Amino acid sequence: MSHTNHHVPTIVIGRLPLYLRALTQLAVEGRRVTSSQELSEKLGFSSAQIRKDLSYFGEFGKQGTGYEIEFLENALREILQVDRVWNMALVGAGDLGHALANYDGFELRGFRITAIFDSAPAKIGAMLGNWRVLPMDTLRETVRAQKIYLAIIAVPAAAAQAVADELVQGGVRAILNYAPTTLSVPPQIKVFHIDPVAGLQSMTYYL
Amino acid sequence: MSHTNHHVPTIVIGRLPLYLRALTQLAVEGRRVTSSQELSEKLGFSSAQIRKDLSYFGEFGKQGTGYEIEFLENALREILQVDRVWNMALVGAGDLGHALANYDGFELRGFRITAIFDSAPAKIGAMLGNWRVLPMDTLRETVRAQKIYLAIIAVPAAAAQAVADELVQGGVRAILNYAPTTLSVPPQIKVFHIDPVAGLQSMTYYL
DNA sequence: CCATGTGAATACATTCACAGCA
DNA sequence: TGCTGTGAATGTATTCACATGG
């Protein structure tokens, strides 16, 4: 039975990449089969939750046996649409931008930076990895021309909203936001926010 | 009435830093008073949720008026224990480690890196910001001697678990983990995980 | 009036527990 | 037997809606 037309809670979607990550790790270790129990121990979710999450999308396991790792990996890649490589724009060529541009963990998991922008004259024209840093005022046209639908914002908080507006104008549909500020975007645009300090602050509460 | 002895859901704790961030932003803009309605629009949570979250800790607002920004800011800083500055160890002096060591957004929000470690002989002894990169085998003693309770892991996934084990041995009680792997730590140790690729993958699902 | 603080109602998420099948 | 997939039961979180008091 196909389940793919039911509405899937966003919280479930948020866990799928973690399942995928764990499966890839197991595959690299040469494993062929796993179980909801094993994934549970590796990830810290209950085995029932893992089974239920997967059941939104189909029946991937074999009773009495478990899940064939490579098969489930491929299924999750397809569900998450990372059975391809997405081009991304990176905005901000500071320290963080450098780290992101040099990060080799994107490619294997479905992503690739193919355009880098900054507003500082000193940085424009410099090479960052394989790419030349482009001026901000070419952003909108470039992402539109290159059909880039994903972008990373790695600029100071004060500049982030203007960058987001430009990205949206250029046709970008999802933004990974490293600036410590909430972005205001149209409802169809996805934003995933990374704020390490917020993470730290939610931990110091418990210390 | 004091509410601080009730159990507060972790999901609520996770939102407090975002409230604090928004309040600080308003304060910088020179604002003195705000409302759950205004914060709702800035942050994208419902106003009822914001009021309910805050009500776990006390009564901070004035009926008919709203919240005095500086007062609520200070209250949240105290609740989150960021009315002080926490020293942190940074493990990993690669590109990401550099970006973190140079990031000026920690200090104002309650954090400061005061010790940096790496295992690569080529990096040990080099200066990173104000600090000399120390060898991994001094980690445990150093964090213990300096009473460091927070650490950032910025090493490759394959090395992360061993680093976490050392940190825990040294007395670290909360870890900000940038390595794309789940860490196994004793239950009293807090871990906040940052995986940008997982964030991207949960967005491509919707594209 | 206006906006908070909060019980009650609703909506959502997780876990239980077991039928079903390799 | 062993482990999945899943309704039913439980547990959490969010929203509603209004009494309260500046």
Side-chain angles (χ1 to χ4, degrees), chain A residues 10 13 17 21 25 42 79-81 95 102 109 111 175 178 180-182 192-193 195-197 200-201 203-207, chain B residues 10 13 17 21 25 42 79-81 95 102 109 111 175 178 180-182 193 195-198 200-201 203-207:
Chain A
T10 52
I13 303 304
R21 207 179 61 193
Q25 224 158 24
K42 282 199 117 61
I79 291 163
L80 292 169
Q81 303 201 75
D95 284 314
N102 293 329
R109 296 172 72 196
F111 303 93
I175 295 172
Y178 278 92
T181 188
T182 303
F192 189 94
H193 192 276
D195 185 345
V197 179
L200 289 164
Q201 289 179 333
M203 292 194 292
T204 50
Y205 172 81
Y206 296 99
L207 299 190
Chain B
T10 51
I13 302 304
R21 207 180 62 191
Q25 224 160 23
K42 282 197 118 58
I79 291 163
L80 292 170
Q81 304 200 76
D95 284 314
N102 293 328
R109 298 172 72 194
F111 303 92
I175 296 172
Y178 278 91
T181 187
T182 304
H193 193 274
D195 185 345
V197 178
L200 289 164
Q201 289 180 333
M203 293 194 291
T204 51
Y205 172 81
Y206 295 99
L207 299 189

Short mmCIF file of all heavy atoms in Angstrom, two decimals, chain A residues 10 13 17 21 25 42 79-81 95 102 109 111 175 178 180-182 192-193 195-197 200-201 203-207, chain B residues 10 13 17 21 25 42 79-81 95 102 109 111 175 178 180-182 193 195-198 200-201 203-207:
data_model
loop_
_atom_site.label_atom_id
_atom_site.label_comp_id
_atom_site.label_asym_id
_atom_site.label_seq_id
_atom_site.Cartn_x
_atom_site.Cartn_y
_atom_site.Cartn_z
N THR A 10 6.14 17.38 10.08
CA THR A 10 7.49 17.91 9.84
C THR A 10 8.51 17.34 10.82
O THR A 10 9.68 17.18 10.47
CB THR A 10 7.51 19.45 9.97
OG1 THR A 10 6.93 19.80 11.22
CG2 THR A 10 6.78 20.11 8.84
N ILE A 13 9.91 14.33 9.24
CA ILE A 13 10.85 14.68 8.17
C ILE A 13 12.20 15.07 8.76
O ILE A 13 13.24 14.73 8.22
CB ILE A 13 10.29 15.84 7.32
CG1 ILE A 13 8.92 15.49 6.74
CG2 ILE A 13 11.27 16.22 6.20
CD1 ILE A 13 8.89 14.25 5.92
N PRO A 17 16.77 12.51 7.94
CA PRO A 17 18.19 12.66 7.65
C PRO A 17 19.08 11.97 8.69
O PRO A 17 20.17 11.51 8.36
CB PRO A 17 18.41 14.18 7.69
CG PRO A 17 17.07 14.75 7.34
CD PRO A 17 16.08 13.82 7.99
N ARG A 21 21.76 9.15 7.87
CA ARG A 21 23.16 9.29 8.30
C ARG A 21 23.63 8.02 9.00
O ARG A 21 24.72 7.51 8.73
CB ARG A 21 23.24 10.49 9.26
CG ARG A 21 24.55 11.18 9.31
CD ARG A 21 24.49 12.36 10.28
NE ARG A 21 24.17 11.93 11.63
CZ ARG A 21 23.82 12.74 12.63
NH1 ARG A 21 23.73 14.05 12.42
NH2 ARG A 21 23.57 12.27 13.82
N GLN A 25 26.51 5.24 7.77
CA GLN A 25 27.60 4.86 8.65
C GLN A 25 27.70 3.33 8.75
O GLN A 25 28.78 2.75 8.63
CB GLN A 25 27.34 5.45 10.04
CG GLN A 25 28.57 6.08 10.67
CD GLN A 25 28.17 7.09 11.75
OE1 GLN A 25 27.08 7.03 12.33
NE2 GLN A 25 29.05 8.03 12.03
N LYS A 42 21.67 3.41 18.36
CA LYS A 42 22.64 4.33 17.75
C LYS A 42 22.16 5.78 17.82
O LYS A 42 22.96 6.70 17.89
CB LYS A 42 22.86 3.97 16.28
CG LYS A 42 23.78 2.78 16.05
CD LYS A 42 24.31 2.77 14.63
CE LYS A 42 25.83 2.93 14.56
NZ LYS A 42 26.57 1.89 15.24
N ILE A 79 13.12 9.75 -0.94
CA ILE A 79 12.08 10.49 -0.22
C ILE A 79 12.55 11.93 0.05
O ILE A 79 11.80 12.89 -0.15
CB ILE A 79 11.75 9.79 1.12
CG1 ILE A 79 11.03 8.46 0.86
CG2 ILE A 79 10.93 10.70 2.02
CD1 ILE A 79 11.03 7.52 2.06
N LEU A 80 13.79 12.06 0.48
CA LEU A 80 14.33 13.38 0.83
C LEU A 80 14.81 14.15 -0.41
O LEU A 80 15.26 15.29 -0.30
CB LEU A 80 15.49 13.23 1.82
CG LEU A 80 15.11 12.74 3.21
CD1 LEU A 80 16.36 12.37 4.01
CD2 LEU A 80 14.29 13.80 3.95
N GLN A 81 14.75 13.47 -1.56
CA GLN A 81 15.20 14.06 -2.81
C GLN A 81 16.69 14.36 -2.81
O GLN A 81 17.13 15.33 -3.44
CB GLN A 81 14.40 15.33 -3.15
CG GLN A 81 12.90 15.08 -3.24
CD GLN A 81 12.19 16.15 -4.03
OE1 GLN A 81 12.26 16.18 -5.26
NE2 GLN A 81 11.52 17.05 -3.33
N ASP A 95 35.01 33.98 7.63
CA ASP A 95 35.56 32.75 8.18
C ASP A 95 34.59 31.59 8.02
O ASP A 95 34.96 30.50 7.59
CB ASP A 95 35.88 32.93 9.67
CG ASP A 95 37.15 33.73 9.87
OD1 ASP A 95 38.15 33.44 9.18
OD2 ASP A 95 37.14 34.65 10.70
N ASN A 102 34.92 25.05 1.98
CA ASN A 102 35.92 23.98 1.99
C ASN A 102 35.41 22.67 2.57
O ASN A 102 36.12 21.67 2.57
CB ASN A 102 37.15 24.41 2.80
CG ASN A 102 37.90 25.54 2.14
OD1 ASN A 102 37.92 25.65 0.91
ND2 ASN A 102 38.50 26.40 2.94
N ARG A 109 26.41 13.90 0.51
CA ARG A 109 25.07 13.85 1.08
C ARG A 109 24.07 14.67 0.26
O ARG A 109 22.97 14.95 0.72
CB ARG A 109 25.12 14.29 2.55
CG ARG A 109 25.95 13.31 3.39
CD ARG A 109 26.20 13.80 4.81
NE ARG A 109 25.02 13.78 5.65
CZ ARG A 109 24.90 14.43 6.81
NH1 ARG A 109 25.92 15.16 7.26
NH2 ARG A 109 23.80 14.36 7.51
N PHE A 111 24.70 17.77 -1.79
CA PHE A 111 24.78 19.22 -1.95
C PHE A 111 26.15 19.66 -2.45
O PHE A 111 27.15 18.98 -2.25
CB PHE A 111 24.44 19.90 -0.62
CG PHE A 111 23.09 19.50 -0.11
CD1 PHE A 111 22.96 18.43 0.77
CD2 PHE A 111 21.95 20.13 -0.56
CE1 PHE A 111 21.71 18.02 1.21
CE2 PHE A 111 20.69 19.71 -0.13
CZ PHE A 111 20.58 18.66 0.76
N ILE A 175 16.49 28.09 2.46
CA ILE A 175 17.64 28.83 2.97
C ILE A 175 18.15 28.19 4.25
O ILE A 175 17.38 27.93 5.18
CB ILE A 175 17.26 30.30 3.26
CG1 ILE A 175 16.87 31.02 1.96
CG2 ILE A 175 18.39 31.04 3.97
CD1 ILE A 175 16.29 32.42 2.17
N TYR A 178 22.67 30.91 8.86
CA TYR A 178 23.62 30.94 9.97
C TYR A 178 23.60 32.26 10.71
O TYR A 178 24.29 32.41 11.72
CB TYR A 178 25.04 30.67 9.47
CG TYR A 178 25.37 29.22 9.26
CD1 TYR A 178 25.17 28.61 8.02
CD2 TYR A 178 25.89 28.45 10.29
CE1 TYR A 178 25.49 27.28 7.83
CE2 TYR A 178 26.22 27.14 10.10
CZ TYR A 178 26.02 26.54 8.87
OH TYR A 178 26.33 25.22 8.68
N PRO A 180 22.38 34.99 13.26
CA PRO A 180 21.57 34.85 14.47
C PRO A 180 20.39 35.81 14.51
O PRO A 180 20.27 36.65 15.39
CB PRO A 180 22.58 35.13 15.59
CG PRO A 180 23.60 36.02 14.97
CD PRO A 180 23.66 35.66 13.52
N THR A 181 19.52 35.67 13.54
CA THR A 181 18.31 36.50 13.49
C THR A 181 17.23 35.74 12.72
O THR A 181 17.54 34.94 11.84
CB THR A 181 18.60 37.86 12.82
OG1 THR A 181 17.46 38.70 12.95
CG2 THR A 181 18.93 37.69 11.35
N THR A 182 15.99 35.98 13.09
CA THR A 182 14.88 35.33 12.39
C THR A 182 14.66 36.03 11.06
O THR A 182 14.64 37.26 10.99
CB THR A 182 13.60 35.42 13.23
OG1 THR A 182 13.85 34.81 14.50
CG2 THR A 182 12.45 34.68 12.55
N PHE A 192 15.92 26.91 7.39
CA PHE A 192 16.45 26.13 8.50
C PHE A 192 17.50 26.98 9.17
O PHE A 192 18.43 27.47 8.52
CB PHE A 192 17.04 24.81 8.01
CG PHE A 192 17.42 23.88 9.14
CD1 PHE A 192 16.53 22.91 9.57
CD2 PHE A 192 18.66 23.98 9.76
CE1 PHE A 192 16.87 22.06 10.61
CE2 PHE A 192 18.98 23.13 10.81
CZ PHE A 192 18.10 22.17 11.24
N HIS A 193 17.35 27.17 10.47
CA HIS A 193 18.19 28.13 11.17
C HIS A 193 19.19 27.41 12.05
O HIS A 193 18.83 26.50 12.78
CB HIS A 193 17.28 29.03 12.01
CG HIS A 193 17.99 30.21 12.54
ND1 HIS A 193 18.72 30.18 13.69
CD2 HIS A 193 18.11 31.47 12.06
CE1 HIS A 193 19.24 31.38 13.89
NE2 HIS A 193 18.90 32.17 12.91
N ASP A 195 21.85 28.21 15.01
CA ASP A 195 22.36 29.19 15.96
C ASP A 195 23.05 28.45 17.09
O ASP A 195 22.42 28.03 18.06
CB ASP A 195 21.21 30.05 16.49
CG ASP A 195 21.71 31.18 17.40
OD1 ASP A 195 22.88 31.14 17.84
OD2 ASP A 195 20.93 32.11 17.67
N PRO A 196 24.37 28.29 16.97
CA PRO A 196 25.10 27.54 17.99
C PRO A 196 24.94 28.12 19.38
O PRO A 196 24.87 27.38 20.36
CB PRO A 196 26.56 27.61 17.53
CG PRO A 196 26.62 28.70 16.52
CD PRO A 196 25.26 28.80 15.91
N VAL A 197 24.86 29.45 19.47
CA VAL A 197 24.74 30.06 20.80
C VAL A 197 23.40 29.70 21.43
O VAL A 197 23.32 29.44 22.63
CB VAL A 197 24.93 31.59 20.72
CG1 VAL A 197 24.77 32.20 22.10
CG2 VAL A 197 26.29 31.92 20.14
N LEU A 200 23.86 26.37 22.87
CA LEU A 200 24.62 26.44 24.13
C LEU A 200 23.76 26.94 25.27
O LEU A 200 23.77 26.41 26.38
CB LEU A 200 25.84 27.35 23.94
CG LEU A 200 26.97 26.79 23.07
CD1 LEU A 200 27.92 27.91 22.65
CD2 LEU A 200 27.73 25.69 23.79
N GLN A 201 22.98 27.98 24.99
CA GLN A 201 22.15 28.58 26.04
C GLN A 201 21.09 27.60 26.55
O GLN A 201 20.74 27.63 27.72
CB GLN A 201 21.48 29.86 25.52
CG GLN A 201 22.48 31.00 25.33
CD GLN A 201 21.84 32.26 24.81
OE1 GLN A 201 20.81 32.22 24.13
NE2 GLN A 201 22.45 33.41 25.08
N MET A 203 21.54 24.52 26.80
CA MET A 203 22.22 23.54 27.65
C MET A 203 22.62 24.12 29.00
O MET A 203 22.54 23.42 30.01
CB MET A 203 23.45 22.97 26.93
CG MET A 203 23.09 22.11 25.72
SD MET A 203 24.45 21.11 25.08
CE MET A 203 25.55 22.34 24.43
N THR A 204 23.07 25.37 29.01
CA THR A 204 23.49 25.94 30.31
C THR A 204 22.30 26.03 31.27
O THR A 204 22.51 26.03 32.48
CB THR A 204 24.13 27.34 30.15
OG1 THR A 204 23.29 28.17 29.36
CG2 THR A 204 25.50 27.24 29.51
N TYR A 205 21.09 26.07 30.76
CA TYR A 205 19.93 26.04 31.64
C TYR A 205 20.01 24.88 32.62
O TYR A 205 19.64 25.01 33.78
CB TYR A 205 18.64 25.90 30.82
CG TYR A 205 17.42 25.67 31.67
CD1 TYR A 205 16.78 26.73 32.31
CD2 TYR A 205 16.93 24.38 31.88
CE1 TYR A 205 15.66 26.51 33.11
CE2 TYR A 205 15.82 24.16 32.68
CZ TYR A 205 15.20 25.23 33.29
OH TYR A 205 14.11 25.00 34.09
N TYR A 206 20.51 23.75 32.14
CA TYR A 206 20.50 22.53 32.95
C TYR A 206 21.73 22.36 33.84
O TYR A 206 21.78 21.45 34.66
CB TYR A 206 20.39 21.31 32.04
CG TYR A 206 19.09 21.26 31.27
CD1 TYR A 206 19.01 21.69 29.96
CD2 TYR A 206 17.92 20.80 31.89
CE1 TYR A 206 17.82 21.65 29.26
CE2 TYR A 206 16.72 20.75 31.19
CZ TYR A 206 16.68 21.18 29.89
OH TYR A 206 15.50 21.15 29.21
N LEU A 207 22.73 23.22 33.66
CA LEU A 207 23.99 23.03 34.41
C LEU A 207 23.91 23.59 35.83
O LEU A 207 23.17 24.50 36.11
CB LEU A 207 25.15 23.66 33.64
CG LEU A 207 25.43 23.10 32.26
CD1 LEU A 207 26.73 23.65 31.72
CD2 LEU A 207 25.48 21.59 32.26
N THR B 10 11.59 20.48 27.79
CA THR B 10 12.81 20.88 27.09
C THR B 10 12.50 21.71 25.85
O THR B 10 13.29 22.57 25.48
CB THR B 10 13.62 19.65 26.64
OG1 THR B 10 12.76 18.76 25.94
CG2 THR B 10 14.24 18.94 27.83
N ILE B 13 12.49 25.21 26.91
CA ILE B 13 13.86 25.70 27.14
C ILE B 13 14.53 26.04 25.81
O ILE B 13 15.25 27.03 25.69
CB ILE B 13 14.70 24.64 27.89
CG1 ILE B 13 14.05 24.28 29.22
CG2 ILE B 13 16.13 25.14 28.10
CD1 ILE B 13 13.79 25.43 30.13
N PRO B 17 16.15 30.86 24.32
CA PRO B 17 17.23 31.62 23.68
C PRO B 17 16.74 32.45 22.50
O PRO B 17 17.30 33.52 22.22
CB PRO B 17 18.20 30.53 23.23
CG PRO B 17 17.97 29.39 24.15
CD PRO B 17 16.48 29.43 24.42
N ARG B 21 17.15 36.41 22.18
CA ARG B 21 17.78 37.00 20.99
C ARG B 21 16.93 38.12 20.43
O ARG B 21 17.42 39.21 20.10
CB ARG B 21 17.98 35.89 19.95
CG ARG B 21 19.11 36.09 18.99
CD ARG B 21 19.18 34.92 18.03
NE ARG B 21 17.96 34.79 17.23
CZ ARG B 21 17.67 33.74 16.47
NH1 ARG B 21 18.50 32.71 16.38
NH2 ARG B 21 16.54 33.72 15.78
N GLN B 25 17.70 42.22 20.32
CA GLN B 25 17.60 42.96 19.07
C GLN B 25 16.71 44.20 19.25
O GLN B 25 17.07 45.30 18.82
CB GLN B 25 17.01 42.05 18.00
CG GLN B 25 17.71 42.10 16.66
CD GLN B 25 17.42 40.86 15.82
OE1 GLN B 25 16.42 40.16 16.01
NE2 GLN B 25 18.30 40.58 14.88
N LYS B 42 7.70 38.63 15.16
CA LYS B 42 9.15 38.58 14.89
C LYS B 42 9.67 37.15 14.81
O LYS B 42 10.61 36.88 14.07
CB LYS B 42 9.93 39.32 15.99
CG LYS B 42 9.90 40.83 15.86
CD LYS B 42 11.00 41.46 16.70
CE LYS B 42 12.00 42.24 15.87
NZ LYS B 42 11.45 43.33 15.08
N ILE B 79 17.59 32.87 34.01
CA ILE B 79 17.01 31.54 33.87
C ILE B 79 17.95 30.61 33.10
O ILE B 79 18.20 29.48 33.50
CB ILE B 79 15.64 31.61 33.15
CG1 ILE B 79 14.62 32.30 34.05
CG2 ILE B 79 15.16 30.23 32.74
CD1 ILE B 79 13.38 32.80 33.32
N LEU B 80 18.48 31.11 32.01
CA LEU B 80 19.36 30.30 31.16
C LEU B 80 20.79 30.24 31.69
O LEU B 80 21.64 29.57 31.11
CB LEU B 80 19.37 30.87 29.73
CG LEU B 80 18.05 30.75 28.96
CD1 LEU B 80 18.10 31.57 27.68
CD2 LEU B 80 17.76 29.29 28.64
N GLN B 81 21.03 30.98 32.77
CA GLN B 81 22.36 31.04 33.36
C GLN B 81 23.39 31.66 32.43
O GLN B 81 24.57 31.29 32.47
CB GLN B 81 22.83 29.66 33.84
CG GLN B 81 21.87 29.01 34.81
CD GLN B 81 22.53 27.92 35.62
OE1 GLN B 81 23.29 28.20 36.54
NE2 GLN B 81 22.24 26.68 35.28
N ASP B 95 39.19 24.29 9.46
CA ASP B 95 38.48 25.48 8.97
C ASP B 95 37.34 25.87 9.91
O ASP B 95 37.18 27.04 10.25
CB ASP B 95 37.91 25.21 7.58
CG ASP B 95 38.98 25.25 6.51
OD1 ASP B 95 39.80 26.18 6.53
OD2 ASP B 95 39.00 24.35 5.65
N ASN B 102 37.32 32.52 15.84
CA ASN B 102 37.29 33.94 15.48
C ASN B 102 35.90 34.57 15.60
O ASN B 102 35.74 35.77 15.39
CB ASN B 102 37.77 34.13 14.03
CG ASN B 102 39.24 33.79 13.89
OD1 ASN B 102 40.03 33.99 14.81
ND2 ASN B 102 39.61 33.27 12.73
N ARG B 109 26.83 36.86 24.27
CA ARG B 109 25.71 36.00 24.61
C ARG B 109 26.06 34.95 25.66
O ARG B 109 25.33 34.01 25.89
CB ARG B 109 25.14 35.36 23.33
CG ARG B 109 24.59 36.43 22.38
CD ARG B 109 24.21 35.87 21.03
NE ARG B 109 23.01 35.05 21.06
CZ ARG B 109 22.63 34.23 20.07
NH1 ARG B 109 23.38 34.13 18.99
NH2 ARG B 109 21.53 33.54 20.18
N PHE B 111 29.40 33.28 26.24
CA PHE B 111 30.36 32.20 26.03
C PHE B 111 31.70 32.73 25.53
O PHE B 111 31.77 33.81 24.94
CB PHE B 111 29.79 31.18 25.05
CG PHE B 111 28.48 30.63 25.52
CD1 PHE B 111 27.28 31.22 25.12
CD2 PHE B 111 28.44 29.57 26.40
CE1 PHE B 111 26.07 30.74 25.58
CE2 PHE B 111 27.23 29.09 26.88
CZ PHE B 111 26.04 29.68 26.47
N ILE B 175 28.08 19.49 25.53
CA ILE B 175 28.87 19.45 24.30
C ILE B 175 28.06 19.98 23.13
O ILE B 175 26.92 19.56 22.92
CB ILE B 175 29.32 18.00 23.99
CG1 ILE B 175 30.27 17.49 25.08
CG2 ILE B 175 29.97 17.91 22.62
CD1 ILE B 175 30.62 16.00 24.96
N TYR B 178 29.55 19.44 16.31
CA TYR B 178 29.47 19.73 14.88
C TYR B 178 29.79 18.51 14.02
O TYR B 178 29.68 18.59 12.80
CB TYR B 178 30.44 20.85 14.50
CG TYR B 178 29.93 22.24 14.78
CD1 TYR B 178 30.18 22.86 15.99
CD2 TYR B 178 29.20 22.94 13.82
CE1 TYR B 178 29.72 24.16 16.24
CE2 TYR B 178 28.75 24.22 14.06
CZ TYR B 178 29.00 24.82 15.26
OH TYR B 178 28.55 26.08 15.50
N PRO B 180 29.17 15.11 12.18
CA PRO B 180 27.91 14.51 11.72
C PRO B 180 27.76 13.07 12.17
O PRO B 180 27.65 12.16 11.36
CB PRO B 180 27.99 14.63 10.20
CG PRO B 180 29.44 14.65 9.90
CD PRO B 180 30.13 15.26 11.08
N THR B 181 27.73 12.89 13.47
CA THR B 181 27.53 11.55 14.03
C THR B 181 26.92 11.68 15.41
O THR B 181 27.16 12.68 16.10
CB THR B 181 28.87 10.79 14.10
OG1 THR B 181 28.61 9.44 14.49
CG2 THR B 181 29.82 11.41 15.11
N THR B 182 26.13 10.71 15.80
CA THR B 182 25.53 10.73 17.13
C THR B 182 26.57 10.33 18.16
O THR B 182 27.29 9.36 17.96
CB THR B 182 24.34 9.76 17.18
OG1 THR B 182 23.41 10.10 16.16
CG2 THR B 182 23.64 9.83 18.53
N HIS B 193 23.41 19.02 18.92
CA HIS B 193 24.01 18.60 17.68
C HIS B 193 23.68 19.57 16.55
O HIS B 193 22.52 19.93 16.38
CB HIS B 193 23.52 17.20 17.34
CG HIS B 193 24.30 16.55 16.25
ND1 HIS B 193 24.00 16.74 14.94
CD2 HIS B 193 25.38 15.76 16.29
CE1 HIS B 193 24.89 16.06 14.21
NE2 HIS B 193 25.72 15.46 15.00
N ASP B 195 23.97 19.83 12.52
CA ASP B 195 24.27 19.15 11.27
C ASP B 195 23.59 19.91 10.13
O ASP B 195 22.42 19.69 9.83
CB ASP B 195 23.79 17.70 11.33
CG ASP B 195 24.19 16.90 10.08
OD1 ASP B 195 24.58 17.52 9.07
OD2 ASP B 195 24.10 15.66 10.11
N PRO B 196 24.33 20.79 9.48
CA PRO B 196 23.73 21.60 8.42
C PRO B 196 23.16 20.76 7.30
O PRO B 196 22.13 21.11 6.72
CB PRO B 196 24.90 22.46 7.92
CG PRO B 196 26.13 21.84 8.46
CD PRO B 196 25.75 21.11 9.70
N VAL B 197 23.82 19.64 6.99
CA VAL B 197 23.34 18.81 5.89
C VAL B 197 21.99 18.19 6.25
O VAL B 197 21.09 18.11 5.42
CB VAL B 197 24.36 17.72 5.52
CG1 VAL B 197 23.82 16.85 4.40
CG2 VAL B 197 25.68 18.37 5.09
N ALA B 198 21.83 17.77 7.50
CA ALA B 198 20.53 17.25 7.93
C ALA B 198 19.46 18.33 7.75
O ALA B 198 18.34 18.05 7.31
CB ALA B 198 20.59 16.77 9.37
N LEU B 200 19.51 20.80 5.55
CA LEU B 200 19.26 20.93 4.12
C LEU B 200 18.39 19.78 3.61
O LEU B 200 17.44 19.99 2.85
CB LEU B 200 20.59 20.94 3.35
CG LEU B 200 21.44 22.19 3.52
CD1 LEU B 200 22.88 21.95 3.06
CD2 LEU B 200 20.82 23.36 2.74
N GLN B 201 18.69 18.58 4.07
CA GLN B 201 17.94 17.41 3.59
C GLN B 201 16.47 17.47 4.02
O GLN B 201 15.60 16.99 3.29
CB GLN B 201 18.59 16.12 4.12
CG GLN B 201 19.94 15.83 3.46
CD GLN B 201 20.59 14.57 3.98
OE1 GLN B 201 20.36 14.17 5.12
NE2 GLN B 201 21.43 13.95 3.15
N MET B 203 14.83 20.12 4.21
CA MET B 203 14.16 21.12 3.35
C MET B 203 13.94 20.60 1.95
O MET B 203 12.90 20.87 1.34
CB MET B 203 14.97 22.42 3.32
CG MET B 203 14.99 23.13 4.67
SD MET B 203 15.57 24.84 4.58
CE MET B 203 17.29 24.62 4.19
N THR B 204 14.91 19.86 1.40
CA THR B 204 14.72 19.37 0.02
C THR B 204 13.52 18.43 -0.07
O THR B 204 12.93 18.30 -1.14
CB THR B 204 15.98 18.67 -0.52
OG1 THR B 204 16.42 17.69 0.42
CG2 THR B 204 17.09 19.66 -0.79
N TYR B 205 13.15 17.81 1.02
CA TYR B 205 11.94 16.98 1.02
C TYR B 205 10.76 17.76 0.45
O TYR B 205 9.93 17.20 -0.28
CB TYR B 205 11.59 16.52 2.44
CG TYR B 205 10.25 15.83 2.52
CD1 TYR B 205 10.11 14.50 2.17
CD2 TYR B 205 9.11 16.53 2.92
CE1 TYR B 205 8.88 13.86 2.23
CE2 TYR B 205 7.87 15.90 2.98
CZ TYR B 205 7.76 14.57 2.63
OH TYR B 205 6.55 13.96 2.68
N TYR B 206 10.68 19.03 0.78
CA TYR B 206 9.50 19.83 0.41
C TYR B 206 9.61 20.48 -0.96
O TYR B 206 8.65 21.07 -1.45
CB TYR B 206 9.27 20.92 1.46
CG TYR B 206 8.92 20.36 2.82
CD1 TYR B 206 9.88 20.23 3.81
CD2 TYR B 206 7.62 19.93 3.10
CE1 TYR B 206 9.56 19.70 5.06
CE2 TYR B 206 7.29 19.41 4.34
CZ TYR B 206 8.27 19.29 5.31
OH TYR B 206 7.94 18.76 6.53
N LEU B 207 10.80 20.41 -1.58
CA LEU B 207 10.96 21.14 -2.86
C LEU B 207 10.39 20.35 -4.05
O LEU B 207 10.34 19.15 -4.04
CB LEU B 207 12.45 21.45 -3.09
CG LEU B 207 13.10 22.34 -2.03
CD1 LEU B 207 14.49 22.75 -2.49
CD2 LEU B 207 12.26 23.57 -1.77
#
